[in-house]
Short mmCIF file of all heavy atoms in Angstrom, two decimals:
data_model
loop_
_atom_site.label_atom_id
_atom_site.label_comp_id
_atom_site.label_asym_id
_atom_site.label_seq_id
_atom_site.Cartn_x
_atom_site.Cartn_y
_atom_site.Cartn_z
N SER A 12 -13.13 -6.97 0.34
CA SER A 12 -13.28 -5.62 -0.24
C SER A 12 -12.04 -4.79 0.12
O SER A 12 -11.24 -5.15 0.99
CB SER A 12 -14.51 -4.89 0.41
OG SER A 12 -14.29 -4.68 1.75
N ALA A 13 -11.88 -3.69 -0.59
CA ALA A 13 -10.77 -2.77 -0.32
C ALA A 13 -10.92 -2.23 1.07
O ALA A 13 -9.91 -2.04 1.80
CB ALA A 13 -10.77 -1.64 -1.35
N GLU A 14 -12.15 -1.94 1.50
CA GLU A 14 -12.39 -1.39 2.81
C GLU A 14 -11.86 -2.34 3.91
O GLU A 14 -11.30 -1.89 4.90
CB GLU A 14 -13.87 -1.12 3.02
CG GLU A 14 -14.40 0.03 2.20
CD GLU A 14 -14.75 -0.38 0.74
OE1 GLU A 14 -14.93 -1.63 0.47
OE2 GLU A 14 -14.80 0.47 -0.10
N ALA A 15 -12.07 -3.62 3.72
CA ALA A 15 -11.60 -4.63 4.69
C ALA A 15 -10.06 -4.58 4.77
O ALA A 15 -9.49 -4.64 5.86
CB ALA A 15 -12.07 -6.03 4.36
N TYR A 16 -9.42 -4.52 3.58
CA TYR A 16 -7.97 -4.41 3.59
C TYR A 16 -7.47 -3.18 4.32
O TYR A 16 -6.63 -3.24 5.12
CB TYR A 16 -7.47 -4.44 2.12
CG TYR A 16 -5.98 -4.23 1.96
CD1 TYR A 16 -5.12 -5.28 2.19
CD2 TYR A 16 -5.48 -2.96 1.64
CE1 TYR A 16 -3.75 -5.08 2.06
CE2 TYR A 16 -4.14 -2.79 1.53
CZ TYR A 16 -3.24 -3.81 1.75
OH TYR A 16 -1.89 -3.64 1.64
N PHE A 17 -8.01 -2.03 4.02
CA PHE A 17 -7.58 -0.81 4.63
C PHE A 17 -7.88 -0.77 6.10
O PHE A 17 -7.07 -0.22 6.89
CB PHE A 17 -8.20 0.44 3.95
CG PHE A 17 -7.57 0.68 2.59
CD1 PHE A 17 -8.35 0.59 1.43
CD2 PHE A 17 -6.29 1.02 2.46
CE1 PHE A 17 -7.81 0.82 0.17
CE2 PHE A 17 -5.68 1.24 1.20
CZ PHE A 17 -6.46 1.13 0.08
N THR A 18 -8.99 -1.37 6.57
CA THR A 18 -9.28 -1.48 7.99
C THR A 18 -8.19 -2.30 8.69
O THR A 18 -7.72 -1.91 9.73
CB THR A 18 -10.68 -2.09 8.19
OG1 THR A 18 -11.66 -1.25 7.63
CG2 THR A 18 -10.91 -2.30 9.66
N ASP A 19 -7.77 -3.39 8.12
CA ASP A 19 -6.68 -4.23 8.67
C ASP A 19 -5.39 -3.42 8.74
O ASP A 19 -4.67 -3.52 9.70
CB ASP A 19 -6.52 -5.50 7.86
CG ASP A 19 -7.63 -6.52 8.04
OD1 ASP A 19 -8.44 -6.33 8.99
OD2 ASP A 19 -7.71 -7.49 7.30
N MET A 20 -5.07 -2.70 7.67
CA MET A 20 -3.81 -1.92 7.65
C MET A 20 -3.81 -0.83 8.69
O MET A 20 -2.81 -0.56 9.33
CB MET A 20 -3.57 -1.36 6.24
CG MET A 20 -3.31 -2.37 5.15
SD MET A 20 -1.90 -3.44 5.46
CE MET A 20 -2.67 -4.95 5.97
N GLU A 21 -4.99 -0.19 8.88
CA GLU A 21 -5.07 0.90 9.90
C GLU A 21 -4.84 0.37 11.34
O GLU A 21 -4.24 1.06 12.15
CB GLU A 21 -6.42 1.56 9.80
CG GLU A 21 -6.54 2.48 8.62
CD GLU A 21 -7.99 3.04 8.42
OE1 GLU A 21 -8.83 2.75 9.27
OE2 GLU A 21 -8.15 3.79 7.48
N LYS A 22 -5.22 -0.85 11.59
CA LYS A 22 -5.03 -1.46 12.88
C LYS A 22 -3.55 -1.64 13.19
O LYS A 22 -3.18 -1.64 14.36
CB LYS A 22 -5.70 -2.85 12.95
CG LYS A 22 -7.23 -2.81 12.97
CD LYS A 22 -7.77 -4.19 12.93
CE LYS A 22 -9.29 -4.17 12.77
NZ LYS A 22 -9.82 -5.51 12.64
N MET A 23 -2.74 -1.76 12.21
CA MET A 23 -1.27 -1.98 12.43
C MET A 23 -0.56 -0.70 12.81
O MET A 23 0.55 -0.76 13.30
CB MET A 23 -0.67 -2.59 11.14
CG MET A 23 -1.13 -3.98 10.92
SD MET A 23 -0.20 -4.67 9.56
CE MET A 23 -1.24 -6.01 9.08
N LYS A 24 -1.14 0.45 12.54
CA LYS A 24 -0.57 1.74 12.96
C LYS A 24 0.79 2.05 12.33
O LYS A 24 1.63 2.73 12.90
CB LYS A 24 -0.44 1.84 14.49
CG LYS A 24 -1.76 1.60 15.26
CD LYS A 24 -2.61 2.81 15.25
CE LYS A 24 -3.76 2.51 16.14
NZ LYS A 24 -4.92 3.23 15.84
N PHE A 25 1.08 1.44 11.15
CA PHE A 25 2.32 1.69 10.47
C PHE A 25 2.20 3.00 9.64
O PHE A 25 1.09 3.38 9.30
CB PHE A 25 2.69 0.58 9.47
CG PHE A 25 2.93 -0.74 10.15
CD1 PHE A 25 2.65 -1.91 9.45
CD2 PHE A 25 3.36 -0.83 11.46
CE1 PHE A 25 2.90 -3.17 10.04
CE2 PHE A 25 3.59 -2.08 12.03
CZ PHE A 25 3.36 -3.27 11.36
N LYS A 26 3.33 3.61 9.38
CA LYS A 26 3.33 4.79 8.49
C LYS A 26 4.13 4.44 7.25
O LYS A 26 5.21 3.85 7.34
CB LYS A 26 4.00 5.99 9.19
CG LYS A 26 3.17 6.40 10.40
CD LYS A 26 3.72 7.68 10.98
CE LYS A 26 3.07 7.95 12.28
NZ LYS A 26 2.14 9.00 12.33
N TYR A 27 3.58 4.75 6.11
CA TYR A 27 4.15 4.36 4.82
C TYR A 27 4.68 5.60 4.12
O TYR A 27 4.02 6.64 4.10
CB TYR A 27 3.13 3.67 3.92
CG TYR A 27 2.58 2.39 4.53
CD1 TYR A 27 1.51 2.41 5.42
CD2 TYR A 27 3.12 1.20 4.19
CE1 TYR A 27 1.02 1.24 5.99
CE2 TYR A 27 2.64 0.00 4.73
CZ TYR A 27 1.61 0.06 5.65
OH TYR A 27 1.09 -1.12 6.21
N ARG A 28 5.85 5.51 3.52
CA ARG A 28 6.41 6.53 2.68
C ARG A 28 6.78 5.99 1.32
O ARG A 28 7.76 5.23 1.23
CB ARG A 28 7.63 7.21 3.36
CG ARG A 28 8.12 8.44 2.57
CD ARG A 28 9.29 9.13 3.21
NE ARG A 28 10.50 8.31 2.97
CZ ARG A 28 11.33 7.81 3.90
NH1 ARG A 28 11.06 8.05 5.22
NH2 ARG A 28 12.41 7.15 3.59
N VAL A 29 5.97 6.24 0.31
CA VAL A 29 6.21 5.70 -1.00
C VAL A 29 7.31 6.51 -1.64
O VAL A 29 7.27 7.72 -1.75
CB VAL A 29 4.92 5.73 -1.87
CG1 VAL A 29 5.19 5.26 -3.32
CG2 VAL A 29 3.81 4.89 -1.22
N GLU A 30 8.35 5.79 -2.16
CA GLU A 30 9.48 6.39 -2.83
C GLU A 30 9.32 6.42 -4.35
O GLU A 30 9.74 7.33 -4.99
CB GLU A 30 10.76 5.64 -2.48
CG GLU A 30 11.07 5.58 -0.95
CD GLU A 30 11.38 6.91 -0.39
OE1 GLU A 30 11.76 7.87 -1.08
OE2 GLU A 30 11.28 7.07 0.90
N LYS A 31 8.73 5.32 -4.86
CA LYS A 31 8.57 5.19 -6.34
C LYS A 31 7.41 4.25 -6.64
O LYS A 31 7.24 3.25 -5.96
CB LYS A 31 9.90 4.59 -6.90
CG LYS A 31 9.93 4.49 -8.37
CD LYS A 31 10.23 5.85 -8.96
CE LYS A 31 10.52 5.73 -10.49
NZ LYS A 31 10.76 6.96 -11.12
N ALA A 32 6.63 4.62 -7.63
CA ALA A 32 5.54 3.73 -8.10
C ALA A 32 5.68 3.62 -9.62
O ALA A 32 5.89 4.63 -10.32
CB ALA A 32 4.19 4.34 -7.75
N VAL A 33 5.58 2.37 -10.12
CA VAL A 33 5.70 2.09 -11.54
C VAL A 33 4.60 1.12 -11.88
O VAL A 33 4.36 0.15 -11.11
CB VAL A 33 7.04 1.46 -11.93
CG1 VAL A 33 7.17 1.16 -13.41
CG2 VAL A 33 8.20 2.41 -11.51
N GLY A 34 3.90 1.33 -13.01
CA GLY A 34 2.83 0.39 -13.32
C GLY A 34 2.33 0.50 -14.72
O GLY A 34 2.74 1.35 -15.50
N ASP A 35 1.44 -0.43 -15.07
CA ASP A 35 0.74 -0.47 -16.32
C ASP A 35 -0.70 -0.85 -16.06
O ASP A 35 -1.18 -0.72 -14.95
CB ASP A 35 1.44 -1.39 -17.34
CG ASP A 35 1.56 -2.81 -16.88
OD1 ASP A 35 0.74 -3.28 -16.05
OD2 ASP A 35 2.48 -3.54 -17.37
N ASP A 36 -1.42 -1.35 -17.08
CA ASP A 36 -2.82 -1.68 -16.92
C ASP A 36 -3.07 -2.84 -15.93
O ASP A 36 -4.15 -2.98 -15.38
CB ASP A 36 -3.41 -2.04 -18.25
CG ASP A 36 -3.55 -0.81 -19.16
OD1 ASP A 36 -3.51 0.34 -18.61
OD2 ASP A 36 -3.68 -0.99 -20.39
N THR A 37 -2.05 -3.74 -15.74
CA THR A 37 -2.32 -4.96 -14.91
C THR A 37 -1.35 -5.10 -13.73
O THR A 37 -1.65 -5.97 -12.91
CB THR A 37 -2.19 -6.20 -15.79
OG1 THR A 37 -0.94 -6.31 -16.40
CG2 THR A 37 -3.30 -6.22 -16.86
N ASP A 38 -0.33 -4.32 -13.64
CA ASP A 38 0.61 -4.49 -12.59
C ASP A 38 1.14 -3.16 -12.08
O ASP A 38 1.40 -2.24 -12.86
CB ASP A 38 1.82 -5.33 -13.01
CG ASP A 38 1.45 -6.75 -13.38
OD1 ASP A 38 1.12 -7.49 -12.48
OD2 ASP A 38 1.39 -7.11 -14.58
N VAL A 39 1.28 -3.07 -10.73
CA VAL A 39 1.85 -1.89 -10.10
C VAL A 39 2.94 -2.36 -9.15
O VAL A 39 2.75 -3.31 -8.40
CB VAL A 39 0.75 -1.09 -9.33
CG1 VAL A 39 1.40 0.09 -8.59
CG2 VAL A 39 -0.31 -0.65 -10.26
N PHE A 40 4.07 -1.69 -9.19
CA PHE A 40 5.21 -1.99 -8.30
C PHE A 40 5.42 -0.71 -7.45
O PHE A 40 5.56 0.36 -7.98
CB PHE A 40 6.45 -2.31 -9.07
CG PHE A 40 6.30 -3.60 -9.87
CD1 PHE A 40 5.80 -3.56 -11.14
CD2 PHE A 40 6.65 -4.82 -9.30
CE1 PHE A 40 5.67 -4.74 -11.90
CE2 PHE A 40 6.50 -5.97 -10.05
CZ PHE A 40 6.01 -5.92 -11.34
N LEU A 41 5.57 -0.92 -6.16
CA LEU A 41 5.84 0.21 -5.24
C LEU A 41 7.14 -0.05 -4.50
O LEU A 41 7.36 -1.18 -4.01
CB LEU A 41 4.71 0.37 -4.22
CG LEU A 41 3.33 0.74 -4.74
CD1 LEU A 41 2.40 0.79 -3.55
CD2 LEU A 41 3.41 2.11 -5.38
N TRP A 42 7.95 0.97 -4.36
CA TRP A 42 9.13 0.95 -3.48
C TRP A 42 8.77 1.87 -2.38
O TRP A 42 8.47 3.08 -2.66
CB TRP A 42 10.39 1.37 -4.27
CG TRP A 42 11.57 1.56 -3.37
CD1 TRP A 42 12.12 2.73 -2.99
CD2 TRP A 42 12.33 0.54 -2.82
NE1 TRP A 42 13.22 2.49 -2.19
CE2 TRP A 42 13.37 1.15 -2.06
CE3 TRP A 42 12.30 -0.85 -2.77
CZ2 TRP A 42 14.31 0.42 -1.32
CZ3 TRP A 42 13.27 -1.57 -2.07
CH2 TRP A 42 14.23 -0.93 -1.37
#
């Protein structure tokens, strides 16, 4: 589940800063 993914990411204590997001109906790319 998404919840399991986010729980794992929270354990890592990283901070993310999204610079750019590009996507369509089936693919999303993040810088």
Side-chain angles (χ1 to χ4, degrees):
S12 67
E14 291 80 20
Y16 174 79
F17 288 116
T18 297
D19 287 348
M20 295 299 105
E21 287 174 0
K22 289 177 187 174
M23 292 186 199
K24 306 279 187 208
F25 298 152
K26 294 186 191 254
Y27 299 85
R28 187 178 76 236
V29 176
E30 303 292 340
K31 184 78 172 179
V33 179
D35 58 26
D36 291 341
T37 59
D38 295 289
V39 176
F40 296 89
L41 294 176
W42 173 253

